[in-house]
Amino acid sequence: MASIATTPTGAKPRRRSGLGRRLLSPVTRTTGVARWILVAGLLLTLVFVVAAVFAPWLAPYDFAQKRLADGQAFPKMTAPGGDHLLGTNDQFFDVLSRVVWGSRTAVEVVVLSIAASLVIGVPLGLVSGYLGGWLDRVLLLVMDALFAFPSLLLAIVFAFLLRDVLGGTVLADVLGVGVTSAALSLTVIYIPQYYRVVRNTTVSAREATYVEAARAIGASRWTVMRSYLFPNVVSSVPVIGTLNAADAIGTLAALGFLGLGIQPQEAAEWGYDLNRALDDTSAGIWWTGLFPGLAIVLLVTALTLVGEGLNETVNPTLRRRKLVAVVLPPRDEKVRS
Amino acid sequence: MPTRPETAAPTETLIEVEELEVHFRLQGSSLARLFGRDTGHVRAVDGVSLELHQGEVVGLVGESGSGKTTLGRALLGLEQPTGGRIRYGGKDITRLGERDLRSLRTELQMVFQDPNAALNPAMTIARQVGHPLRIHGLAKGRDDLRAKVSQSLERVGLAPVERFLDKYPSDLSGGQKQRAVIARAIITGPRLLVADEPISMLDMSVRSKILQLMLDLKNDLGLTYVYITHDLASAKFFCDRVAIMYLGRIVEIGRTEEIFRDPKHPYTKALLAAIPDPDPDRALPRDLPRGEIPDAADPPSGCAFHPRCPRAFEACGWEPRDLQTLLDSHWASVSVEDYEREREVVGDLSGLERARGRAVLRPGAGSTAADVRALLDRLRAADPEEPFWRGVESVDVEGGDVIVTFAPAEDPVLRTVSAVRVACHLYEA
């Protein structure tokens, strides 16, 4: 591209509007490998999101369907092909449908758990870091205690506890008790990460002159936190978010694999299917385990790629910015005369 | 550089500071904190009285650590004083709560030293300059806000305004950022502006422009400035009155012309002598103060400047640790053999740092009090002009120890000497 280009008169240089540009900036700002990592991750994630959103139309059958509408039962453990593209499993379920519906469960759990940990962890970190004092100490102690537990163990305990607590709540009615309790138990183990990162960046940003300047113009604590600290401390949060999302898929599958997660009648869940398929492998039945497993691996990979790609764009020490060619505006004779 | 316009004699008092003290508690070790032990205080501002008149520019000048910035911040209520009063508009602002202080912030504003850090990197210029108006609810609707922001940016010379409104601070140069900081400070129509070294981080080429802008704003908007600086040259050009600060106290205050024409306090003289002279042929005898500014957590007794003062005498507050400083500087200049021999004579010196009033020198093993005394006499004979010896009242031998007694210390207070006020024992009648 020529460094000095003239656009045709009358045509304005194309500039995306503010929001669009900011949303796309991670992609447009990066270069080289980071960009491809990010794009590949985003595309792969998009496939699963589409599957999740359009599951009722994409999946040939329902996730808990064992017989056709006319009452004819599905064959048990039939090989891929024919009416069942990826075969059926020992519970007469259609594997393809279970995989597609499983992506809906996965996306629901990930979105709910990450959103909840953001909504709780980030403000807690801000308040704790800015106000300090005894509140900061107590919160630090609680969060460090949560950190100290093995995350899977913690998730199991909370999944059990929340199951009883959540029954009958609005959230549980919409998403199902299994999905909600799994998501919120993941929330509990992820909050400390957001809290820690935001709190520590807030503590260092608190001493910045612009925060002092905000106080000098009469901003209240709330305004300082919202308008001055928040925009400057959240930059690393999206990276943790995406990496946590990948981790959430793994933990959710582990819960399901142990039989402690979502029950098969509530929603399709890859980890549970994997557990059921464990015995099939010795009998040479590969399709019941391969496809749910593949889905887990692909989605975890996709989210990790997004996280790593984002990290390289957001983290200034890793970032390599693209050189943008300078486009001078066309010479306007009228201005000069 | 442009010249300072002659201002009409200021009359009305805007702010009155009385015996202001800002002491910071030292952190100390974690054990000391756990048991709530007193870990000492840093006396950043230690009893300052000052009157600011409507429409004048008062300079606070001093080295780093002299408490000038803390004083400026305390004037705005950004620092909680530990003692004294700041009277503004009939109220004592040191007693005001956070909420009342916030509403005062429209009238008391600040310009910061580092323009690169004083602007929120995540806000556009338009938003941050207009933010004070939004916080205090001073704009009626978006259009009014935008109009006021544009007006303020134009005032500080950021024109055409459209080029700056939607920029982020990282898009601006240092001088432009400082103009934006000033625009944000004046947008609420303040009466007092505390400028904390507003030009020290700027390029030489824009310094005088920013100062001229501040003078123009002062004349147009009737502002009062507190100008904090370590740069006497800019204070000379900018200020109506100058207060010289040393270790949290004002040592000399008066009209700028008077201070520069006839500095009274030895510290002021030293500061003035330290101003670089552009003429290479005229080598001035610079008797710059010796050593560094002392620890504000444990300031010297009497006049805090006495250990560095070339004209110090009996009343200035000599104390045992000055003896240690004297011995140290002596030993730094002699040969190693001499040092080792003399070092053995005086024995343990670690007590001098804490001792008050009189110094007890216990001779080292194999030496007698007479040896110690002889050493002190030799030191005195080598440099009889050293101000330290004027503060020594007597050197006695008492039960094998040498006791050095010092003249009683007295805190110098500000008193009027011709046209200025000075805190120095030299000017006591």
Side-chain angles (χ1 to χ4, degrees):
Chain A
M1 191 172 163
S3 58
I4 298 177
T6 47
T7 44
T9 45
K12 280 187 176 171
R14 203 164 62 92
R15 278 188 88 177
R16 290 192 195 88
S17 60
L19 185 70
R21 217 170 69 223
R22 284 190 78 155
L23 276 181
L24 277 176
S25 68
V27 181
T28 53
R29 278 205 313 233
T30 40
T31 173
V33 182
R35 186 173 203 174
W36 290 113
I37 287 178
L38 189 59
V39 168
L42 281 174
L43 283 179
L44 207 50
T45 310
L46 194 68
V47 171
F48 281 95
V49 172
V50 167
V53 172
F54 299 104
W57 295 277
L58 288 173
Y61 308 103
D62 200 34
F63 60 84
Q65 195 173 349
K66 297 183 178 193
R67 51 191 76 246
L68 288 170
D70 59 10
Q72 189 199 347
F74 290 162
K76 186 180 182 182
M77 293 198 269
T78 178
D83 281 343
H84 303 285
L85 269 180
L86 301 182
T88 58
N89 67 8
D90 65 334
Q91 287 176 302
F92 305 94
F93 296 143
D94 178 60
V95 173
L96 175 61
S97 305
R98 292 288 291 181
V99 169
V100 172
W101 281 98
S103 58
R104 169 171 273 198
T105 310
V107 169
E108 276 172 358
V109 169
V110 164
V111 169
L112 184 59
S113 65
I114 301 298
S117 26
L118 277 177
V119 166
I120 299 169
V122 173
L124 272 186
L126 263 179
V127 170
S128 170
Y130 184 59
L131 299 184
W134 63 267
L135 179 79
D136 186 41
R137 289 179 188 210
V138 170
L139 279 174
L140 264 180
L141 193 73
V142 173
M143 296 295 173
D144 284 351
L146 284 178
F147 248 139
F149 281 101
S151 59
L152 187 61
L153 184 69
L154 210 59
I156 292 169
V157 171
F158 275 95
F160 263 124
L161 290 176
L162 289 170
R163 225 165 224 288
D164 297 335
V165 176
L166 287 170
T169 57
V170 182
L171 205 60
D173 285 346
V174 176
L175 293 172
V177 175
V179 169
T180 316
S181 60
L184 293 187
S185 62
L186 291 175
T187 301
V188 176
I189 62 176
Y190 294 141
I191 284 176
Q193 300 185 24
Y194 296 90
Y195 167 82
R196 262 293 189 180
V197 167
V198 171
R199 184 220 167 241
N200 289 0
T201 34
T202 305
V203 166
S204 58
R206 182 176 64 181
E207 306 298 328
T209 312
Y210 63 84
V211 175
E212 164 111 52
R215 285 180 59 212
I217 62 173
S220 63
R221 287 168 170 182
W222 164 241
T223 313
V224 169
M225 282 191 262
R226 193 195 47 193
S227 306
Y228 288 81
L229 287 171
F230 176 74
N232 291 302
V233 300
V234 291
S235 58
S236 48
V237 165
V239 177
I240 314 174
T242 42
L243 293 177
N244 274 347
D247 188 67
I249 301 291
T251 312
L252 176 69
L255 281 177
F257 188 84
L258 295 173
L260 301 166
I262 298 152
Q263 297 311 303
Q265 303 299 330
E266 280 183 85
E269 205 277 307
W270 298 329
Y272 174 84
D273 290 354
L274 217 52
N275 182 25
R276 302 289 309 192
L278 209 56
D279 299 332
D280 303 345
T281 43
S282 51
I285 297 166
W286 50 270
W287 57 90
T288 52
L290 176 69
F291 297 110
L294 207 57
I296 294 171
V297 170
L298 281 179
L299 188 49
V300 169
T301 311
L303 290 169
T304 310
L305 288 179
V306 174
E308 291 299 332
L310 267 185
N311 196 17
E312 302 225 351
T313 57
V314 173
N315 191 335
T317 53
L318 295 176
R319 177 165 57 207
R320 276 182 28 215
R321 289 215 171 165
K322 195 169 64 168
L323 288 175
V324 183
V326 176
V327 183
L328 295 178
R331 264 189 13 197
D332 195 342
E333 297 301 325
K334 271 177 283 183
V335 174
R336 311 193 90 214
S337 59
Chain B
M1 269 197 176
T3 50
R4 179 158 42 85
E6 288 305 314
T7 38
T11 46
E12 194 195 333
T13 303
L14 184 71
I15 281 198
E16 204 181 338
V17 182
E18 278 174 41
E19 290 298 321
L20 189 75
E21 284 180 3
V22 185
H23 293 184
F24 295 112
R25 183 115 182 237
L26 281 174
Q27 280 276 304
S29 66
S30 49
L31 210 65
R33 257 181 296 162
L34 198 65
F35 293 111
R37 261 201 0 238
D38 188 18
T39 45
H41 292 85
V42 170
R43 301 166 182 199
V45 177
D46 195 19
V48 165
S49 299
L50 181 68
E51 261 180 37
L52 299 177
H53 304 289
Q54 177 71 44
E56 73 171 345
V57 181
V58 174
L60 297 180
V61 183
E63 288 169 287
S64 331
S66 59
K68 52 195 194 308
T69 299
T70 310
L71 175 57
R73 288 162 45 94
L75 283 176
L76 302 182
L78 289 172
E79 207 72 77
Q80 190 61 47
T82 43
R85 276 181 295 279
I86 302 173
R87 242 188 275 283
Y88 172 77
K91 278 176 285 189
D92 179 7
I93 63 174
T94 62
R95 301 273 181 279
L96 290 183
E98 180 81 17
R99 188 174 295 270
D100 294 322
L101 262 180
R102 270 214 294 281
S103 58
L104 266 185
R105 296 271 156 80
T106 56
E107 297 170 34
L108 312 171
Q109 272 295 338
M110 182 147 186
V111 176
F112 296 87
Q113 178 174 16
D114 185 359
N116 303 307
L119 293 169
N120 182 352
M123 263 193 200
T124 61
I125 295 300
R127 228 174 97 73
Q128 28 201 342
V129 171
H131 212 210
L133 295 179
R134 288 167 52 126
I135 286 170
H136 298 287
L138 294 173
K140 304 167 206 67
R142 286 175 69 100
D143 295 335
D144 187 38
L145 181 68
R146 196 118 177 134
K148 281 181 170 158
V149 168
S150 302
Q151 198 189 353
S152 185
L153 286 178
E154 239 160 53
R155 269 234 83 95
V156 300
L158 286 179
V161 173
E162 294 72 30
R163 265 179 53 200
F164 298 99
L165 282 176
D166 296 318
K167 289 271 170 66
Y168 284 88
S170 54
D171 303 328
L172 267 55
S173 73
Q176 289 170 336
K177 278 183 217 170
Q178 195 60 299
R179 284 175 194 266
V181 171
I182 295 173
R184 178 175 65 183
I186 62 165
I187 198 164
T188 52
R191 299 177 70 190
L192 174 74
L193 210 61
V194 174
D196 184 5
E197 310 207 20
I199 56 168
S200 67
M201 302 282 279
L202 300 177
D203 286 347
M204 280 299 172
S205 54
V206 292
R207 288 189 175 184
S208 65
K209 285 189 196 157
I210 295 288
L211 280 187
Q212 186 59 51
L213 168 69
M214 288 179 64
L215 283 179
D216 292 346
L217 289 175
K218 172 182 119 78
N219 293 335
D220 296 352
L221 307 173
L223 292 170
T224 305
Y225 285 135
V226 170
Y227 178 69
I228 299 167
T229 187
H230 57 253
D231 171 22
L232 271 169
S234 70
K236 183 180 186 179
F237 146 73
F238 195 62
C239 302
D240 299 313
R241 283 198 299 151
V242 173
I244 311 286
M245 288 192 71
Y246 189 77
L247 273 191
R249 294 190 184 177
I250 291 178
V251 296
E252 183 164 2
I253 179 167
R255 297 201 56 79
T256 312
E257 307 87 59
E258 293 297 331
I259 298 246
F260 277 82
R261 191 175 55 79
D262 181 18
K264 296 282 193 300
H265 198 283
Y267 180 60
T268 316
K269 288 183 182 169
L271 279 184
L272 286 179
I275 298 178
D277 195 323
D279 186 353
D281 298 329
R282 224 164 24 135
L284 283 174
R286 300 195 198 283
D287 43 352
L288 299 179
R290 309 178 282 182
E292 294 289 320
I293 194 161
D295 183 4
D298 192 12
S301 69
C303 171
F305 187 58
H306 81 259
R308 306 172 70 189
C309 183
R311 297 186 57 194
F313 62 108
E314 290 86 343
C316 292
W318 295 97
E319 51 191 332
R321 53 182 153 158
D322 296 323
L323 175 59
Q324 185 171 16
T325 314
L326 183 84
L327 286 170
D328 283 341
S329 69
H330 163 68
W331 284 331
S333 65
V334 298
S335 68
V336 178
E337 296 82 46
D338 285 348
Y339 162 68
E340 280 169 354
R341 207 179 54 243
E342 292 180 9
R343 188 70 192 74
E344 274 171 19
V345 170
V346 288
D348 184 22
L349 284 174
S350 56
L352 290 181
E353 191 58 41
R354 295 261 147 257
R356 293 286 175 268
R358 54 186 216 159
V360 180
L361 288 175
R362 178 155 295 160
S367 306
T368 61
D371 295 335
V372 177
R373 197 175 170 149
L375 169 66
L376 292 181
D377 286 342
R378 246 184 301 129
L379 277 178
R380 188 169 198 161
D383 187 10
E385 295 302 304
E386 166 63 42
F388 171 79
W389 297 113
R390 305 181 63 181
V392 176
E393 247 175 13
S394 63
V395 181
D396 306 306
V397 179
E398 228 179 80
D401 295 342
V402 175
I403 310 287
V404 183
T405 318
F406 296 93
E410 250 177 83
D411 273 13
V413 290
L414 275 175
R415 62 190 75 229
T416 308
V417 178
S418 60
V420 299
R421 287 168 68 75
V422 185
C424 181
H425 290 311
L426 283 172
Y427 298 95
E428 281 161 16

